[in-house]
């Protein structure tokens, strides 16, 4: 299992609320766990999906990241915000899963060259278990998600963090472990790859893209707490 990342410097250190939540969670306080997850679920899901590009697998990544984080709360010292600490763990989990998947696909093709590369279909947007998506501006959000998925890997994470999640340049640089100037350059190039007219349409609704709330949020929170043996 990869080690829990430590952050030497962040755009801001942990707040008193972060430290209090982490302390309470480390003592097994169910409400602290629930507060942490409901606060950060959507942001962590977006990070995972930027790497994995699959809804259900991204949800699995977030669940595993929470289990890792909550099992190592003693390593959270407050040098970074709780959001950044959880984000780095989620990113590492997603990248690790992607590497394992690529190795497995490569091994499969080596065994049988006739097996075509797996294509992950873009998830449908009519899930009855996701009322938030049904209420969203469906057509525009689908275009946003597809445009984001089609970006090269090197640009997708920056675009997701900066444009869709709304993180600052410094937060994005910290998350992806790159220089702030690199963030700006990659974001500029990512935007060039997204059609200008599409960018104009999606601006007002970006915060609703890749929703993760309602029953999906509750389901993931309950699953993590069950795995950790915490009463709900």
């Amino acid at each position: 299992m990869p080690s829990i990342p430590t952050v030497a410097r962040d755009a801001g250190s942990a707040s008193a609320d972060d430290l209090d939540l982490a302390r309470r969670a480390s003592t097994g306080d169910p409400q602290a766990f629930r507060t942490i997850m409901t606060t950060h679920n959507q942001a962590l899901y977006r990070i995972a999906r930027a790497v994995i590009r699959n809804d259900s697998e991204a949800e699995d990544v977030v669940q595993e990241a929470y289990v890792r984080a909550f099992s190592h709360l003693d390593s959270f010292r407050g040098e970074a915000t709780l959001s950044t600490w959880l984000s780095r763990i989620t990113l590492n989990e997603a990248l690790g899963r992607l590497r394992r998947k690529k190795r497995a696909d490569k091994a499969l093709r080596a065994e049988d060259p006739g097996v075509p590369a797996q294509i992950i279909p873009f998830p449908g947007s009519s899930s009855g278990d996701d009322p938030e998506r049904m209420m969203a501006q469906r057509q525009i959000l689908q275009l946003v998600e597809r445009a984001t998925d089609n970006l090269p890997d090197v640009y997708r994470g920056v675009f997701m963090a900066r444009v869709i999640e709304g993180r600052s340049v410094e937060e994005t640089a910290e998350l992806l472990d790159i220089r702030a100037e690199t963030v700006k350059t990659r974001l500029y190039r990512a935007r060039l790859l997204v059609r200008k007219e599409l960018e104009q349409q999606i601006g007002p609704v970006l915060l609703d893209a890749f929703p993760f709330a309602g029953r999906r949020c509750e389901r993931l929170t309950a699953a993590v707490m069950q795995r950790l043996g915490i009463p709900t």
Side-chain angles (χ1 to χ4, degrees):
M1 176 182 292
S3 61
I4 296 294
T6 57
V7 181
R9 179 183 60 81
D10 185 23
S13 58
S15 66
D17 287 343
D18 279 351
L19 293 171
D20 180 60
L21 276 174
R23 179 190 58 77
R24 287 166 49 203
S26 68
T27 65
D29 180 350
Q31 187 56 46
F33 282 102
R34 185 175 296 278
T35 298
I36 290 171
M37 285 186 281
T38 55
T39 299
H40 298 287
N41 276 348
Q42 177 157 288
L44 300 186
Y45 170 76
R46 286 170 168 173
I47 290 169
R49 200 187 181 289
V51 176
I52 299 297
R53 289 188 287 177
N54 178 274
D55 285 2
S56 61
E57 286 194 59
E59 192 169 332
D60 289 343
V61 164
V62 174
Q63 186 176 149
E64 291 300 324
Y66 274 132
V67 171
R68 286 184 57 206
F70 290 150
S71 299
H72 295 82
L73 276 171
D74 56 347
S75 69
F76 179 69
R77 304 299 183 188
E79 291 91 348
T81 64
L82 188 57
S83 174
T84 294
W85 189 71
L86 291 170
S87 295
R88 293 298 297 273
I89 294 171
T90 302
L91 180 61
N92 286 350
E93 182 69 33
L95 290 172
R97 178 173 293 223
L98 186 63
R99 286 191 294 268
R100 292 191 295 273
K101 180 177 176 58
K102 287 182 176 179
R103 285 197 296 267
D105 288 347
K106 184 177 180 180
L108 181 62
R109 288 194 296 270
E111 292 176 3
D112 185 359
V115 177
Q118 181 181 7
I119 299 176
I120 301 175
F122 190 84
S125 59
S126 59
S127 171
D129 190 43
D130 191 359
E132 291 79 21
R133 186 180 296 273
M134 295 175 64
M135 294 172 62
Q137 298 183 37
R138 192 181 309 272
Q139 184 177 7
I140 295 177
L141 292 184
Q142 287 178 348
L143 291 173
V144 174
E145 293 178 357
R146 289 195 180 105
T148 303
D149 280 346
N150 289 334
L151 286 171
D153 292 348
V154 71
Y155 302 138
R156 193 185 318 112
V158 169
F159 186 83
M160 183 75 85
R162 287 284 290 119
V163 177
I164 295 180
E165 185 57 30
R167 293 174 181 262
S168 68
V169 171
E170 293 75 16
E171 289 170 334
T172 303
E174 182 67 38
L175 172 64
L176 300 177
D177 196 22
I178 57 179
R179 295 185 303 111
E181 288 303 317
T182 303
V183 170
K184 296 176 183 177
T185 299
R186 290 182 183 179
L187 178 60
Y188 173 74
R189 292 176 179 172
R191 280 174 166 161
L192 288 180
L193 297 175
V194 178
R195 292 176 55 176
K196 184 176 181 180
E197 57 268 28
L198 173 62
E199 187 172 348
Q200 292 172 343
Q201 291 181 64
I202 66 178
V205 296
L206 277 179
L207 290 178
D208 290 328
F210 302 108
F212 196 86
R215 281 182 284 182
R216 294 179 74 193
C217 179
E218 293 171 4
R219 183 179 66 242
L220 185 142
T221 299
V224 172
M225 294 181 75
Q226 182 179 15
R227 288 183 61 181
L228 293 171
I230 300 167
T232 58

